[in-house]
Amino acid sequence: MSSMKTQSAVRIQSLFPVLLASLLVLGTAQLVFDGLKSRKSYVFQFYGNPEKPRKPVFVLPEDRMDGSCNLFEGQWVWDNVSHPLYEENSCPFLVKQTTCLRNGRPDSFYQNWRWQPHACNLPKFDPLKLLDILRDKRLMFVGDSVQRSQFESMVCLLQSVIPEGKKSLERVPPRKIFKAKEYNATIEYYWAPFIVESISDHATNHTVLKRLVNLDSISKHGKSWEGVDVLVFESYVWWMYRPQINATYGSMEEVQEYNVTTAYRIAMETWANWLESAINPHLQKVFFMSMSPTHLWSWEWKPGSHGNCFNESYPIQGSYWGTGSNLDIMDIMHEVLQDLKINVTFLNITQLSEYRKDAHTTVFGERRGKLLTKEQRADPMNFADCIHWCLPGVPDTWNEILYAYLLQGYQNFL
């Protein structure tokens, strides 16, 4: 009897390590399984969550604009329900030049106007849809500080749906690069106020007494534009400083004074030649923004007055075209684009922006990198900025229109 008990004890003792090892294996397997389900796990980060597959982008009929509809003819309607599309204090990527409320502007009415085309509706802006369209792609805005505000607007329109740690803004002069890491997408800005090369191409130190433009030189800029999936160009305000401009053509040693419109045409033809030689129209999309209007003299919309855009709170009603928008420049761009052998979409935002005398930064922005002093703000006739725009504001509408065209192109891939 005692021998049987001894044998049973030996069997139990021999099985104990096996049972212990089995429990350890099961426990380890559970820990590994739980770890794989964790968002912090390598497998999750590398492969994604298998329980939540990525939803494909569907461009619905209501997303697509009517091809026959002119998005640029319409009116501004009051809409404090859907606009602004984001809040100023919710976007950490805005620069001081555009944050009018933070800088002391007492009203915010300029944020609540929505552009309504006469014959159709703009597609509702969907940041997730646009990010998916831009997946593995680069969108680059090229131009001056007005174009930079469109870049910042686009960043603000998209960044709110991107989790913390999955987005970043990097400055690599003359570029700014916003990265949406989960989409492997970048929104970029490239400083080139004349598009062609000039002595004002430094990203921050570009204020010079005498501007000098190299009308037939673009290759230095072009190297940074090659292979970009979506390019959005703009160039106007820097040309209009004076009726004439110093420029070179051919020899860099021979500086001549050109009429601005003549110089602009030559520069845009240089740009057009670069496009035809460097752009793959099957893989890249190119847009050109028409001129952003100024509102420097209030007598243009209010006869008999002697002010500017300062203290304006409402858009202009009825037909209006200010003297700050040069029709000769507009004609030149139409002619250059018409002669191009590749397709460039012309976004004619001038007329719709002409109505917005109320939406400039005025005395609630920066001058040469610094906010205006109390004394300067008290002198709006000399210090009001009637060129740049507050954000949220008019540049958001430019991006709504750009979004509509990107959606229109995307349907071809469904």
Side-chain angles (χ1 to χ4, degrees):
M1 187 73 177
S2 61
S3 62
M4 292 178 62
K5 288 183 179 180
T6 301
Q7 290 175 4
S8 298
V10 169
R11 287 196 195 98
I12 293 173
Q13 288 177 0
S14 63
L15 287 174
F16 183 76
V18 176
L19 292 171
L20 182 60
S22 300
L23 289 172
L24 287 172
V25 169
L26 290 171
T28 302
Q30 184 64 45
L31 287 172
V32 170
F33 182 72
D34 290 342
L36 289 175
K37 293 191 294 182
S38 169
R39 289 181 175 272
K40 296 181 180 179
S41 75
Y42 171 79
V43 173
F44 183 95
Q45 292 175 12
F46 190 82
Y47 293 102
N49 187 352
E51 297 176 1
K52 294 184 179 180
R54 193 179 78 216
K55 294 181 180 179
V57 171
F58 291 108
V59 178
L60 303 173
E62 56 265 31
D63 291 328
R64 302 171 186 170
M65 61 183 182
D66 184 345
S68 63
C69 179
N70 186 342
L71 297 181
F72 309 103
E73 293 182 357
Q75 62 183 345
W76 291 97
V77 297
W78 177 257
D79 182 356
N80 61 353
V81 176
S82 69
H83 284 59
L85 296 174
Y86 58 91
E87 299 293 337
E88 179 188 292
N89 59 9
S90 71
C91 184
F93 302 104
L94 289 175
V95 298
K96 290 180 182 178
Q97 187 178 43
T98 62
T99 53
C100 297
L101 288 183
R102 189 183 307 162
N103 298 340
R105 179 163 174 164
D107 73 293
S108 61
F109 298 143
Y110 64 90
Q111 298 184 356
N112 301 120
W113 295 94
R114 174 175 54 81
W115 179 248
Q116 177 61 57
H118 287 317
C120 59
N121 294 318
L122 276 172
K124 183 179 179 182
F125 191 90
D126 186 334
L128 288 173
K129 190 164 290 186
L130 181 54
L131 281 168
D132 227 334
I133 289 173
L134 295 175
R135 186 181 294 277
D136 300 320
K137 292 182 174 60
R138 297 170 64 195
L139 164 61
M140 180 184 287
F141 296 91
V142 179
D144 55 27
S145 53
V146 173
Q147 187 73 334
R148 185 176 62 214
S149 69
Q150 187 176 359
F151 157 77
E152 290 172 0
S153 161
M154 182 61 82
V155 169
C156 289
L157 287 166
L158 295 176
Q159 68 87 29
S160 64
V161 298
I162 304 172
E164 290 297 327
K166 301 294 184 180
K167 54 190 172 185
S168 64
L169 181 66
E170 183 182 8
R171 290 171 175 82
V172 186
R175 288 191 297 158
K176 287 186 174 182
I177 306 169
F178 176 81
K179 295 182 180 180
K181 298 176 183 177
E182 287 185 319
Y183 294 86
N184 191 33
T186 61
I187 316 298
E188 305 177 36
Y189 165 71
Y190 185 99
W191 169 263
F194 296 100
I195 293 185
V196 293
E197 294 163 24
S198 74
I199 63 171
S200 300
D201 287 341
H202 192 280
T204 55
N205 186 23
H206 44 247
T207 302
V208 294
L209 292 177
K210 284 192 175 182
R211 298 177 180 182
L212 178 62
V213 183
N214 305 324
L215 298 177
D216 59 344
S217 299
I218 199 171
S219 59
K220 289 180 182 178
H221 293 327
K223 289 177 182 177
S224 296
W225 307 338
E226 292 176 359
V228 175
D229 301 278
V230 183
L231 284 161
V232 186
F233 291 93
E234 175 272 343
S235 182
Y236 176 66
V237 170
W238 276 65
W239 292 94
M240 308 310 294
Y241 184 61
R242 290 175 180 168
Q244 285 79 36
I245 192 167
N246 290 327
T248 63
Y249 186 85
S251 173
M252 297 290 288
E253 305 302 321
E254 297 181 14
V255 178
Q256 299 182 36
E257 190 174 71
Y258 286 76
N259 181 283
V260 160
T261 52
T262 301
Y264 190 87
R265 180 184 293 275
I266 296 172
M268 291 304 102
E269 288 173 349
T270 297
W271 169 74
N273 291 335
W274 177 85
L275 287 177
E276 291 180 349
S277 66
I279 292 294
N280 184 336
H282 302 293
L283 300 176
Q284 297 169 274
K285 297 181 185 296
V286 182
F287 297 86
F288 192 93
M289 309 295 298
S290 68
M291 64 191 75
S292 173
T294 61
H295 295 89
L296 303 175
W297 306 284
S298 64
W299 55 262
E300 294 188 329
W301 61 84
K302 188 178 180 182
S305 63
H306 302 283
N308 51 32
C309 67
F310 175 71
N311 217 25
E312 295 285 351
S313 299
Y314 299 95
I316 295 170
Q317 301 296 321
S319 62
Y320 174 78
W321 186 274
T323 57
S325 298
N326 190 306
L327 287 171
D328 290 336
I329 295 291
M330 187 75 85
D331 290 340
I332 289 169
M333 278 314 306
H334 278 298
E335 293 167 10
V336 170
L337 294 178
Q338 191 172 12
D339 292 340
L340 266 172
K341 295 182 178 65
I342 66 170
N343 180 56
V344 173
T345 304
F346 186 60
L347 299 185
N348 191 357
I349 53 84
T350 305
Q351 181 62 80
L352 68 89
S353 306
E354 284 280 5
Y355 303 122
R356 296 306 306 275
K357 62 179 172 59
D358 59 306
H360 291 287
T361 57
T362 67
V363 297
F364 305 105
E366 287 184 315
R367 173 168 287 204
R368 296 182 180 178
K370 295 182 179 180
L371 294 175
L372 269 61
T373 65
K374 184 178 180 180
E375 291 73 24
Q376 289 172 328
R377 290 188 180 187
D379 185 11
M381 279 304 298
N382 289 310
F383 290 97
D385 181 348
C386 298
I387 296 174
H388 297 98
W389 305 92
C390 299
L391 289 177
V394 171
D396 301 328
T397 297
W398 304 345
N399 280 325
E400 287 184 272
I401 293 172
L402 174 61
Y403 170 69
Y405 277 91
L406 291 174
L407 275 180
Q408 194 78 351
Y410 192 77
Q411 68 177 308
N412 298 324
F413 300 100
L414 290 179

